[in-house]
Amino acid sequence: MELKVVFWSGSGNTESMADMVAKGIKEAGQEAKVISIEDITPEVLAADAVFAMGCPAMGDEVLEETIVEPFVTDIEKLVNGKKIALFGSYGWGDGEWMRNWAERMEKAGAIVIGGEGVICADAPDDEAEEKLTELGKKMAEA
C-alpha cells in the first residue's frame, strides 16, 4: 500500500518535512508518495484510510488561505473514520494553527495520528526530523 504525504510549502520547509515523513513510512516497510496539494483532489486523497497533510503557519497562525484552506474545507466532509498525520513549520507563534487544524479534523471524525501535529520552527532540524520520521512510522502502522 502506498501512503500519501500531501503538502503545501511556501519556502520549502514543509516540503522537507513531507520528505521526512515519507522516510519514516519507508523505514517501516511501506511505500510513500509525496504530493503537492495542488496535484491531488480531496476526493482522491480521502479514498485512502491513512494519509498525511502538511502546511506551514501563515498570517496570524492560520492555514494557507488560497490553496490549503479550500482543500481542507472540502476534505473535512470526507475524513470521518480516516487516520491522518498533520505537520508543518512556523516562523512565529506557538503552534495555534496546528492545534486548530487537528481539532477541526477530529471534529470531522478523523483520528489524528499522535493526537496532534508535528511542528517545527523554520527549517526542520535533527529533532524535527526524528519526530517526523516517527510520525511516518506511526502512519505505516496505523
Side-chain angles (χ1 to χ4, degrees):
M1 180 171 77
E2 186 176 69
L3 297 173
K4 292 179 183 74
V5 181
V6 176
F7 72 94
W8 182 89
S9 188
S11 66
N13 292 338
T14 304
E15 182 173 9
S16 294
M17 294 176 80
D19 291 336
M20 293 172 185
V21 173
K23 175 184 169 194
I25 293 168
K26 291 173 186 172
E27 284 181 6
Q30 300 282 346
E31 293 298 314
K33 184 171 185 179
V34 178
I35 308 166
S36 169
I37 204 165
E38 296 162 294
D39 295 331
I40 192 166
T41 66
E43 294 77 18
V44 169
L45 183 58
D48 293 356
V50 180
F51 55 87
M53 292 189 293
C55 177
M58 302 295 288
D60 188 24
E61 285 213 70
V62 295
L63 296 171
E64 190 280 329
E65 296 170 295
T66 60
I67 298 166
V68 180
E69 181 58 43
F71 187 94
V72 170
T73 297
D74 288 346
I75 205 163
E76 213 168 352
K77 302 170 191 122
L78 307 170
V79 296
N80 190 29
K82 307 293 181 182
K83 294 179 182 176
I84 303 173
L86 301 174
F87 62 93
S89 65
Y90 64 97
W92 61 90
D94 69 356
E96 180 182 3
W97 101 102
M98 186 58 68
R99 290 190 300 274
N100 291 342
W101 193 10
E103 186 178 315
R104 262 176 93 175
M105 294 297 98
E106 288 171 347
K107 281 183 178 178
I111 297 159
V112 177
I113 297 170
E116 60 184 40
V118 173
I119 62 174
C120 71
D122 303 314
D125 58 12
D126 291 344
E127 180 183 344
E129 182 170 5
E130 188 176 310
K131 288 179 181 177
L132 291 158
T133 303
E134 187 60 32
L135 185 65
K137 289 177 182 176
K138 287 178 183 175
M139 280 182 67
E141 296 163 1

